[in-house]
Amino acid sequence: ETITPAGQEIIRLQKKAVLQMKQTNNALNDILKLRQGLLSKEAIVSDPRPLGQIIAAVKDTLQQDLEKAGAQININLNGLEQVPFPFVYMQSMFYNLLVNAIKFRHADRPPVIDITAVRLNENNFRFTVADNGLGFDILRNKNKLFGIFKRFHPQIEGTGVGLHIVKSIAEAFSGEVTVTSEPGKGTEFVVVLSN
């Protein structure tokens, strides 16, 4: 009560800075754990869960954010029930891609997120997460797309590690991530995993 308005503003900014440092620290820890985990024997032993169950768990985790954004999620798994990959990594990929779709939504419309999955052949699987959000200039941002702490919309809070995590997981399983995007129209991430 004795702190002046200017002092209160300084405290608010300090709290914000501490929160950002904490988020950055947590993000770095996540990356280190991910890299250690992907190189461990445990990562090679599959712990598959039904794909629908993995996506449902991610939706539950993000329920408040989805409701607040008025998001609609369309899911088409094309009969693909289980994928032979550790579920924790599958869950992390879907979580990070959905968080991006919600976070980078367009202000003029509620987000529509389409999730599709398909078995390409006996050993290859493709997952697509497409949204109708802000999008970005892919040619201009091509080199920093999956970099750590790289962001395309500085006005939106975030750590800039989600896409790096998605790419790290995909590549650890001999896969790849490709992106198409158009400013103002949306973004589509395609993840191909190889068993």
Side-chain angles (χ1 to χ4, degrees):
E1 294 173 359
T2 60
I3 298 174
T4 65
Q8 288 176 356
E9 178 64 11
I10 290 170
I11 289 173
R12 186 188 69 77
L13 292 173
Q14 286 176 334
K15 284 182 178 178
K16 185 176 180 182
V18 168
L19 179 63
Q20 287 175 337
M21 285 190 292
K22 183 178 177 184
Q23 289 174 336
T24 300
N25 188 46
N26 288 342
L28 286 170
N29 283 333
D30 288 345
I31 290 169
L32 289 172
K33 287 178 192 172
L34 176 69
R35 287 187 176 164
Q36 289 170 348
L38 289 175
L39 298 174
S40 71
K41 290 180 181 178
E42 289 80 19
I44 298 167
V45 179
S46 277
D47 182 13
R49 305 272 171 97
L51 195 52
Q53 182 183 6
I54 291 170
I55 295 170
V58 171
K59 281 176 61 181
D60 285 347
T61 301
L62 296 171
Q63 188 62 40
Q64 285 185 334
D65 295 323
L66 291 167
E67 287 176 4
K68 184 177 176 184
Q72 172 188 333
I73 298 183
N74 305 313
I75 301 170
N76 182 0
L77 302 182
N78 292 300
L80 185 59
E81 291 183 19
Q82 283 197 230
V83 179
F85 296 97
F87 86 94
V88 69
Y89 297 132
M90 294 295 295
Q91 190 167 314
S92 179
M93 283 194 291
F94 280 111
Y95 175 84
N96 282 296
L97 292 174
L98 281 176
V99 164
N100 268 14
I102 297 165
K103 190 181 293 184
F104 300 106
R105 62 187 178 271
H106 200 287
D108 297 338
R109 57 184 176 258
V112 176
I113 305 165
D114 296 314
I115 299 173
T116 59
V118 66
R119 180 187 295 272
L120 298 174
N121 54 46
E122 189 175 334
N123 295 315
N124 296 296
F125 310 88
R126 182 179 65 219
F127 308 96
T128 305
V129 177
D131 64 57
N132 64 340
L134 290 174
F136 58 90
D137 184 341
I138 198 146
L139 294 176
R140 200 169 112 203
N141 296 296
K142 186 177 179 182
N143 292 333
K144 62 180 184 177
L145 184 59
F146 296 104
I148 299 176
F149 305 125
K150 302 296 182 186
R151 299 169 57 218
F152 309 131
H153 300 285
Q155 72 278 16
I156 297 173
E157 286 189 29
T159 58
V161 297
L163 293 181
H164 178 78
I165 288 173
V166 171
K167 186 172 191 267
S168 295
I169 293 171
E171 289 179 349
F173 291 100
S174 304
E176 65 176 3
V177 181
T178 56
V179 184
T180 56
S181 187
E182 193 173 341
K185 294 194 174 178
T187 303
E188 179 182 74
F189 290 92
V190 178
V191 179
V192 176
L193 299 176
S194 232
N195 182 18

